Each structure stands twice: as C-alpha cells, then as structure tokens.
Amino acid sequence: MRWMLAFALLTAGSVAHAETFRFTAIPDEDQSRLVERFSKVADYLSDELDVDVEYVPVTSYGAAVTAFRNDQVQLAWFGGLSGVQARKLVPGSQAIAQGEEDAAFRSYFIANRDSGIPESQDALPEEVRDHSFTFGAKTSTSGRLMPEHFIRERFDEAPEDVFSRVGFSGDHSRTIALVESGTYDVGAVNFTVWDAAVEDDRVDTDKVEVVWESPTYPDYQWTLRGDVDERYGDDFTQKVTQALLDMKDPALLESFPRSGFIPASNDDYAPIEAVGESIGVLR
C-alpha cells in the first residue's frame, strides 16, 4: 500500500508540473505572421521555463482580454489599454516587462498623398479636417485611444465632428492598406508596424506618407496572472520575467518588433488608464 501511495503522489506531482503554460498576443497585424513568429517565442519560453508553453492566437483585442480573464492564457502581450482592461478584470495580475520602445511609444498619422495633406512637425495638420479617417482596432492604444486623445486635444472636438467619415480597420496593417488604397484619406498607426512595413517594402510610400508623429506615451507590455507561482512553482513570476528580459535573439524580438525588453509595473500605465477614463473608453 505504501508504494501505491508513493506512486500516486509522484504521479500527481508530475501532472501538476506538466500543466501547459499558455500565452497570447493582441492581433495588431496580419494573423498569419503572428502565428509563425509567436510559435518561436513559445519554444524559447518552454526551454527557459522548463514547462510546455503554447501560443494561443486570438481574433481580436477583446478576445485577448477575455482569454486572460477566463484563464485560457496565463500571460499576454497586451497594448497599453488592453493591459489595463485585463488587470482590472483579474486582480493580482501584473505588468512585468515592456519593450524598450514602449516606455516612450508613439503613433503615426498617415495620409494618402492624393489627399494633399501636408506633413507637420509641430501639430496634427489642420488640413486633416473634413477628410475621411480610420482608427485601427477599437481598443488599440496606438491605433485608437491615444490618437483620439490627440485629435480631441488638437481640435477640441470629437473625431466624428472633425472628419467627414470615421472607421475602424481592425489592425495596423489594415489601416496602412486602407490609406494606401485611398479608401480612407488619413489613419493612425503604431509606429513600429509602419517602420517594419516600410523596411520590408510592404507599403508604397509613393502613395502614403507620415504627416505627423505624436508625443510619446507608455504602451505594450507583458501581463502575467497573479496565481502562476501557486500553479507552476515558487518564483515562477520571476522566472518568466527574467526569461523575457533575457530574450536577445533578433529573430525572436522581430516578432514584436522590439529591440529588447525592460522591467515594467502596473503603475507605468496610470496615464493610459487616465486617458481611457477621460474619453469614455474605460469606465
């Protein structure tokens, strides 16, 4: 009987240790590219953490928050706003790391060249008024929240009163495509997605250009559920954090894209929460 009890305890311990650790990422650009890239990140984390790690793709920003809330994933690469939303829904969750670029992130306002909107260094050009405009996803920090904040700050009006037509593309890559094609005259995009698209020749800069760069703000971050130490072992939070901070392979960092990761905390995103509340996106 004793050996059976010992075997049962050993087996139970092995099952607990074998629980898969899952993460997701907001779908801020083409989904197929994200699956290919984040699957490699999963392999890296599995090796570093000594547990099975799985990347779980989602179809929307809201779905990423829901997956985190429902414990379908324990870690998520969120934007500033979606991270705030997730941490409100899951008490004890923590922002643990951000990209080196994320402490001072920014949005680009891009315009179809045929619209005749001039480039401006100082402020969002007055000439964007009465043109058609597209945000990215409705809960995107760099594609909606902060651009709307800057539009209201510049014109003291809601976007619907500034532009002839306002839409939501769903992601940054789609925003670029819609403005390049002339479906919308103007759009707001994540600067890293734009820069990567230009570098990879995935955007025709003869048709679309950056007309204004926004002031900086905090954005993307890794957020981790607060119960992982109980489930995956003591100091698991620290192990995950260190694995992210130690990620140096350019091929992995291209998944984000970031030059590296630095520590982050929930307090870093207080400005995002304040803006979200001020324009009614957070309640």
Side-chain angles (χ1 to χ4, degrees):
M1 293 297 293
R2 288 181 179 178
W3 72 266
M4 292 178 66
L5 177 61
F7 178 77
L9 291 172
L10 178 62
T11 303
S14 298
V15 171
H17 180 70
E19 181 180 1
T20 300
F21 180 65
R22 295 180 171 87
F23 77 95
T24 194
I26 55 171
D28 58 358
E29 58 176 317
D30 181 76
Q31 187 64 259
S32 62
R33 293 171 59 86
L34 296 180
V35 171
E36 178 184 355
R37 291 178 175 184
F38 280 112
S39 295
K40 297 175 183 177
V41 175
D43 292 340
Y44 165 80
L45 290 175
S46 183
D47 290 341
E48 293 294 309
L49 301 174
D50 196 28
V51 297
D52 289 335
V53 178
E54 179 184 346
Y55 166 61
V56 180
V58 292
T59 57
S60 69
Y61 285 53
V65 173
T66 298
F68 189 82
R69 180 193 64 194
N70 292 344
D71 196 26
Q72 295 166 292
V73 298
Q74 294 73 52
L75 175 70
W77 175 240
F78 284 130
L81 178 59
S82 51
V84 168
Q85 291 173 320
R87 293 190 293 274
K88 281 179 171 290
L89 292 169
V90 185
S93 56
Q94 305 173 52
I96 58 173
Q98 61 182 189
E100 292 183 9
E101 294 82 356
D102 290 300
F105 211 77
R106 59 190 183 275
S107 297
Y108 285 165
F109 281 69
I110 60 173
N112 187 285
R113 289 183 182 272
D114 288 342
S115 68
I117 297 170
E119 181 181 355
S120 172
Q121 300 296 323
D122 300 323
L124 184 60
E126 172 69 31
E127 290 85 351
V128 300
R129 184 183 287 279
D130 296 329
H131 283 278
S132 57
F133 178 86
T134 183
F135 291 110
K138 291 185 177 180
T139 54
S140 169
T141 305
S142 54
R144 189 280 175 89
L145 179 74
M146 296 308 296
E148 178 165 344
H149 169 69
F150 295 128
I151 291 165
R152 289 175 179 271
E153 189 174 59
R154 173 71 172 89
F155 296 103
D156 197 26
E157 295 177 76
E160 292 76 13
D161 297 322
V162 174
F163 301 104
S164 61
R165 177 167 54 99
V166 174
F168 293 90
S169 70
D171 66 59
H172 300 291
S173 297
R174 184 68 176 154
T175 295
I176 295 171
L178 289 172
V179 176
E180 181 180 314
S181 69
T183 303
Y184 286 91
D185 298 323
V186 190
V189 299
N190 169 327
F191 85 99
T192 65
V193 174
W194 171 269
D195 287 348
V198 171
E199 184 175 348
D200 295 344
D201 293 323
R202 288 182 284 113
V203 55
D204 186 348
T205 53
D206 289 333
K207 295 181 178 179
V208 58
E209 64 177 337
V210 176
V211 294
W212 186 63
E213 298 182 15
S214 78
T216 60
Y217 52 85
D219 202 350
Y220 291 68
Q221 88 295 149
W222 286 104
T223 288
L224 183 68
R225 290 180 62 93
D227 59 358
V228 295
D229 287 357
E230 300 172 13
R231 298 165 59 180
Y232 298 94
D234 294 342
D235 300 324
F236 193 74
T237 295
Q238 180 55 40
K239 291 177 182 177
V240 174
T241 303
Q242 197 60 52
L244 295 172
L245 299 180
D246 289 344
M247 191 184 297
K248 306 297 184 185
D249 184 346
L252 294 178
L253 294 172
E254 184 186 1
S255 302
F256 300 90
R258 296 295 184 274
S259 55
F261 292 103
I262 59 177
S265 71
N266 293 0
D267 290 343
D268 294 334
Y269 294 88
I272 296 299
E273 185 171 358
V275 170
E277 291 173 349
S278 72
I279 66 174
V281 176
L282 284 173
R283 292 178 174 84

